[in-house]
Amino acid sequence: MALDPDMWLGCFEDGKLVGVLVGTHESRKGWLNRLAVLPEHQGKGFGKAMVLEMERRLRAKGLGIFAVLIEDGHDASLRLFKEAGYEEHEGMHYLRKRDSPDI
Ligand SMILES: CC(C)(COP(=O)(O)OP(=O)(O)OC[C@H]1O[C@@H](n2cnc3c(N)ncnc32)[C@H](O)[C@@H]1OP(=O)(O)O)[C@@H](O)C(=O)NCCC(=O)NCCS
């Protein structure tokens, strides 16, 4: 499987990687995954900037629906995405299957 470099975002300060975001899509809906900013660099706008840049890249590929899964307790992330216009989707179940408890 070929990786699409457009879908891998990093933000840098003084040449050091301080934040990441990985996008994926299946041609209809874009997913924003693995958003994280190093604790000492949080609150400077990196997270929001990466979300908006990933949306821009997904739009450029023709996608107009964006989605994210946020675990309970990740309040900063929840607030960031709500401020960026994301809404909670009622009537959806999150299911998963693991081949091993270690992965
Ligand atoms: C979520 C995370 C990526 C935000 O990154 P960040 O660079 O600090 O975010 P920004 O500075 O761009 O802030 C954007 C918005 O996020 C929200 N936010 C950021 N930090 C927050 C905090 N500590 N508490 C509450 N809201 C917060 C605010 O709404 C903020 O908007 P504002 O500055 O206008 O108030 C970062 O907190 C993080 O890495 N958390 C741990 C990993 C994680 O939860 N990842 C998300 C998985 S879905």
Side-chain angles (χ1 to χ4, degrees):
M1 181 176 58
L3 292 177
D4 179 351
D6 282 353
M7 295 289 99
W8 297 75
L9 263 184
C11 53
F12 296 83
E13 200 165 79
D14 298 327
K16 180 183 165 192
L17 181 66
V18 300
V20 293
L21 174 60
V22 182
T24 52
H25 71 84
E26 25 68 324
S27 80
R28 177 173 174 269
K29 187 187 294 177
W31 285 91
L32 288 79
N33 315 286
R34 300 288 172 193
L35 174 66
V37 173
L38 285 178
E40 62 272 31
H41 293 277
Q42 291 176 7
K44 300 176 178 177
F46 286 129
K48 185 111 171 253
M50 287 192 291
V51 167
L52 298 181
E53 172 62 14
M54 185 56 72
E55 287 180 4
R56 190 192 67 76
R57 292 180 183 200
L58 287 162
R59 277 192 195 95
K61 293 178 186 297
L63 292 128
I65 307 174
F66 312 103
V68 60
L69 288 170
I70 302 174
E71 284 181 41
D72 281 347
H74 289 204
D75 297 339
S77 181
L78 193 58
R79 207 167 116 194
L80 189 166
F81 279 100
K82 283 188 171 173
E83 278 185 11
Y86 290 66
E87 297 171 328
E88 300 215 30
H89 193 76
E90 299 294 331
M92 191 71 87
H93 298 278
Y94 169 58
L95 288 86
R96 74 177 178 196
K97 182 176 174 181
R98 282 187 172 188
D99 276 348
S100 141
D102 306 327
I103 55 174

